[in-house]
């Protein structure tokens, strides 16, 4: 299969030269120096590597880069816009929804993906959407609180 030579990452066209079967995570981290998405398990089980593909959360460690070609890739580095943090990032800061921080980029990206699909999720929907993202420090209650806060502030921003 032909090598992958271009990706659309965080709104920009990025030139690469990658074997199509390489993981999207390795291309992001090693070729494009976007190290926000983390390598945790490497098997699709922890969510540390979560990025958005056309707005949907995927595990980039088990996604071949060929599957991302021609799609919009959003990493944690691309969430802030116009000098302002994404509402989920802001809410994580305000609620202290992190401890060691290793899972945080994946959690935030997964939550941002959820809010794109569902602007006002119920607590159970947040829990279900983030169920596959593992936090070994156990900050889950504050993470859920942060996502609820982000949904609320996003709603208020849309209204205002
Ligand atoms: Fe991808 Fe764990 S590193 S799911």
């Amino acid at each position: 299969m032909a090598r992958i030579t271009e990706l659309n990452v965080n709104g920009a066209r990025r030139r690469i030269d990658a074997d199509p079967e390489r993981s999207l995570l390795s291309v992001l981290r090693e070729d494009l120096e976007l190290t926000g998405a983390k390598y945790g398990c490497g098997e699709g089980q922890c969510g540390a590597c979560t990025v958005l593909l056309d707005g949907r959360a995927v595990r980039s460690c088990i996604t071949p880069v060929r599957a991302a070609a021609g799609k919009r890739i959003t990493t944690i580095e691309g969430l802030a816009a116009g000098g302002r943090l994404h509402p989920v990032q802001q809410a994580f800061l305000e609620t202290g929804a992190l401890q060691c921080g290793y899972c945080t980029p994946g959690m935030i990206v997964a939550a941002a993906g959820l809010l794109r699909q569902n602007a006002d999720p119920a607590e159970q929907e947040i829990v279900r959407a983030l169920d596959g993202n593992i936090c070994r420090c156990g900050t889950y209650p504050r993470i859920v609180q942060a996502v609820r806060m982000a949904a609320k502030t996003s709603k208020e921003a849309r209204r205002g």
Side-chain angles (χ1 to χ4, degrees):
M1 195 175 180
R3 295 179 72 78
I4 304 299
T5 56
E6 186 177 289
L7 291 177
N8 177 346
V9 186
N10 298 330
R13 285 160 56 144
R14 302 289 305 268
R15 304 290 303 174
I16 57 166
D17 177 24
D19 183 306
E21 297 306 324
R22 271 180 67 200
S23 75
L24 175 58
L25 179 64
S26 78
V27 173
L28 290 171
R29 290 183 57 86
E30 294 161 22
D31 298 21
L32 299 177
E33 297 182 352
L34 293 168
T35 55
K38 299 289 183 266
Y39 184 96
C41 64
E43 298 177 350
Q45 300 294 323
C46 76
C49 63
T50 304
V51 301
L52 301 180
L53 270 193
D54 283 346
R56 290 195 173 270
V58 299
R59 305 286 196 245
S60 63
C61 70
I62 54 167
T63 302
V65 66
R66 65 177 155 72
K71 297 197 171 134
R72 284 177 294 112
I73 304 161
T74 307
T75 70
I76 187 76
E77 290 90 346
L79 284 185
R84 295 178 65 114
L85 291 176
H86 185 283
V88 177
Q89 292 174 308
Q90 188 65 41
F92 266 63
L93 279 180
E94 289 180 21
T95 59
L98 59 145
Q99 194 162 312
C100 82
Y102 201 80
C103 72
T104 307
M107 286 282 186
I108 289 176
V109 170
L114 167 65
L115 295 184
R116 276 187 201 206
Q117 318 282 330
N118 178 357
D120 191 16
E123 184 165 329
Q124 278 313 310
E125 291 173 311
I126 296 169
V127 170
R128 207 174 313 125
L130 300 182
D131 192 38
N133 287 69
I134 295 170
C135 169
R136 295 192 63 177
C137 307
T139 57
Y140 297 111
R142 279 179 283 156
I143 289 169
V144 173
Q145 187 189 345
V147 179
R148 297 187 77 166
M149 178 188 285
K152 189 160 174 268
T153 54
S154 303
K155 203 193 295 176
E156 282 163 9
R158 279 193 303 276
R159 202 181 294 138

